[in-house]
Amino acid sequence: MSTQREPIGVIGTGYVGLVTAAGFAELGNEVWCIDIDAPKIERLKGGEIPIYEPGLADLVAKHRGRLHFSTDIADALEHARLLFVAVGTPPTYSGDADLSAVHAVVNAMPASDGHALVMKSTVPVGTGTSIKRIFGEQGKHEFRYVSCPEFLKEGSAVRDFLAPDRVVVGDDGDWAGDAVVELYEPLGAPLVRTDIASAEMIKLAANAFLATKISFINEIANVSEVTGANVIEVARGIGLDDRIGPKFLQAGVGFGGSCFPKDVTALKQLAGNSGYHFQLLNAVIEVNELQKRRVMAKLEKHLGSLVGCKVALLGLAFKPNTDDMREATSLVLSARLQAAGAKVSAYDPVAEEEARKLMPGLEFADDALSAVTGADAAVLVTEWDEFKELDFDAVATAMSGKLIIDGRNALDPEAVSAAGLTYEGIGRS
């Protein structure tokens, strides 16, 4: 790989920032990674990766010579003209995006004619216009701005960076946009070069559409349960239509994570702030919240009162191959179970450390079999591969009860039933 690629800065070393930095290092860029969290920066300097993301630790280790970590933004400004912003934009109590970290970066920029901010953080449509106005008010008229939204999926983020299905660049048609396009050119991905507001909307619209698809198939699953249809077959049948496609048609106990809930709410809020009532997204959010609670009804159908029952949760992270607990279904489920008087045991291959901070009152187990020991019911919450390969004869022997609720339709119903256990999936009569 050519060593002539230009150096870049990445501000924020979370999921997006660290993967972006490691990905560009793989492409041959020198990368200055900036974060205000000094202990995190020290850990990164020591080669310790603060998040679980398959392949990321290996990539960071491979390119330690190209990755520079600092808490001083001046280090990035000195070496790089393109500063990728990957700071958090969590929802506020009102549902709007909290842009305080973004504005802190904007305010830290110098009056310079040779730099540009490249926005990776998910921001409301209109943020670019607002930031350019602020630059003008602060006398930073020559500072450039580019919107370059990320489409990384946790659990496969490294692969998604190196083999993206598209690259979106929103800019004013100046040198900064050209430079960002050139950075991504070796990846050979389809390029959508557009205006800044459209680039911002593409990110929100993409996640809102995928969330809508999930809530739709969950509604179909719920209707399938009362009509005798099998949502697995229904999804297969409609997914073969190339206008629909098979992805995100897996019925389950609802979506979570750092992107879908936040972005759906942000788009709904953005519309509301403009005087438009986004009715469809209201339904998507409501369906998802109710879906997380349907497990309770399934448990009560089989067990009656849950007072004194032991329920095992298999998986805690919002999806497999990550330790991210943000908006995880397990948070709602464990709280509802404990409120109903149940004892809750749990096991997750990688998310226990994060879960312990968020889920008081749980009994954490070292493996799946320990979690289900003495349980009246077990609920598959996260479809880790190791749960699909469980020895259900051993599970049946360890459990006090017989109920297995497959919250992701990831298990083999025949294998579960053959072990003498009672199988209950989502949308499977």
Side-chain angles (χ1 to χ4, degrees):
M1 194 69 67
S2 169
T3 57
Q4 298 305 306
R5 289 174 59 80
E6 74 168 288
I8 63 167
V10 175
I11 304 171
T13 58
Y15 281 94
V16 174
L18 200 51
V19 171
T20 299
F24 277 124
E26 173 75 0
L27 293 179
N29 300 83
E30 293 278 328
V31 186
W32 271 261
C33 306
I34 310 299
D35 202 294
I36 60 171
D37 186 339
K40 182 197 281 190
I41 288 296
E42 288 306 311
R43 290 168 66 188
L44 286 165
K45 285 180 177 179
E48 185 180 348
I49 307 301
I51 56 176
Y52 179 84
E53 181 63 41
L56 181 58
D58 291 339
L59 205 57
V60 171
K62 178 182 177 183
H63 296 298
R64 288 195 67 178
R66 290 181 183 153
L67 292 165
H68 314 276
F69 298 99
S70 172
T71 57
D72 189 350
I73 205 165
D75 291 337
L77 287 163
E78 178 186 349
H79 293 96
R81 60 175 183 162
L82 296 176
L83 304 174
F84 285 78
V85 181
V87 297
T89 55
T92 63
Y93 288 113
S94 68
D96 295 293
D98 180 355
L99 298 180
S100 57
V102 169
H103 286 298
V105 174
V106 171
N107 293 333
M109 293 300 104
S112 165
D113 60 358
H115 289 90
L117 286 187
V118 184
M119 190 58 63
K120 278 288 178 193
S121 300
T122 302
V123 295
V125 182
T127 300
T129 299
S130 173
I131 288 175
K132 288 193 294 180
R133 188 194 72 246
I134 292 170
F135 279 154
E137 292 170 352
Q138 295 178 345
K140 305 169 185 175
H141 301 281
E142 298 303 318
F143 219 103
R144 294 291 174 250
Y145 183 89
V146 178
S147 174
C148 184
E150 55 84 17
F151 301 98
L152 307 176
K153 299 183 293 294
E154 289 183 38
S156 61
V158 171
R159 183 173 70 244
D160 291 343
F161 181 93
L162 296 173
D165 46 22
R166 80 282 205 193
V167 171
V168 176
V169 177
D171 71 299
D172 292 323
D174 53 31
W175 69 263
D178 293 341
V180 174
V181 169
E182 187 176 339
L183 278 179
Y184 281 96
E185 195 171 18
L187 298 177
L191 171 68
V192 179
R193 189 165 184 183
T194 184
D195 60 276
I196 292 169
S198 295
E200 292 168 340
M201 181 62 87
I202 286 169
K203 168 64 176 180
L204 294 176
N207 279 349
F209 184 83
L210 294 174
T212 300
K213 207 170 177 183
I214 294 169
S215 281
F216 175 81
I217 200 63
N218 281 336
E219 290 273 68
I220 294 297
N222 298 340
V223 177
S224 293
E225 287 185 4
V226 297
T227 57
N230 184 335
V231 75
I232 302 292
E233 296 302 309
V234 174
R236 187 161 68 101
I238 66 175
L240 289 169
D241 186 327
D242 61 10
R243 297 168 300 174
I244 297 172
K247 294 182 178 179
F248 291 85
L249 287 180
Q250 289 72 43
V253 287
F255 59 78
S258 63
C259 292
F260 284 6
K262 176 172 73 77
D263 292 354
V264 171
T265 301
L267 184 52
K268 179 181 82 80
Q269 201 71 8
L270 177 70
N273 292 343
S274 305
Y276 180 75
H277 181 58
F278 209 141
Q279 225 168 320
L280 178 61
L281 291 188
N282 281 327
V284 169
I285 294 165
E286 183 180 7
V287 167
N288 193 56
E289 289 308 307
L290 291 174
Q291 198 70 14
K292 293 178 181 180
R293 290 161 172 77
R294 283 182 64 83
V295 171
M296 295 296 294
K298 291 178 179 292
L299 287 166
E300 289 165 348
K301 178 179 79 173
H302 290 275
L303 303 179
S305 170
L306 298 181
V307 175
C309 290
K310 180 179 178 180
V311 179
L313 302 182
L314 299 179
L316 298 171
F318 88 92
K319 64 183 285 191
N321 298 317
T322 180
D323 60 354
D324 198 342
M325 289 292 299
R326 285 175 287 185
E327 300 289 336
T329 296
S330 61
L331 296 172
V332 173
L333 192 50
S334 64
R336 295 293 301 128
L337 285 167
Q338 291 182 78
K343 301 172 184 175
V344 184
S345 60
Y347 166 69
D348 189 285
V350 302
E352 180 180 333
E353 183 180 346
E354 290 300 310
R356 282 185 179 274
K357 304 172 188 174
L358 302 168
M359 305 172 81
L362 262 66
E363 172 192 318
F364 290 93
D366 293 331
D367 53 54
L369 208 56
S370 299
V372 303
T373 298
D376 297 284
V379 182
L380 178 73
V381 183
T382 313
E383 62 276 33
W384 288 93
D385 285 342
E386 69 177 82
F387 298 144
K388 302 174 190 177
E389 299 162 3
L390 279 172
D391 179 346
F392 286 102
D393 288 325
V395 170
T397 300
M399 289 180 66
S400 294
K402 294 185 174 182
L403 179 60
I404 302 288
I405 294 182
D406 183 0
R408 300 295 179 184
N409 288 344
L411 305 178
D412 180 352
E414 293 183 4
V416 174
S417 299
L421 296 164
T422 301
Y423 177 90
E424 172 103 21
I426 306 294
R428 297 165 127 177
S429 60

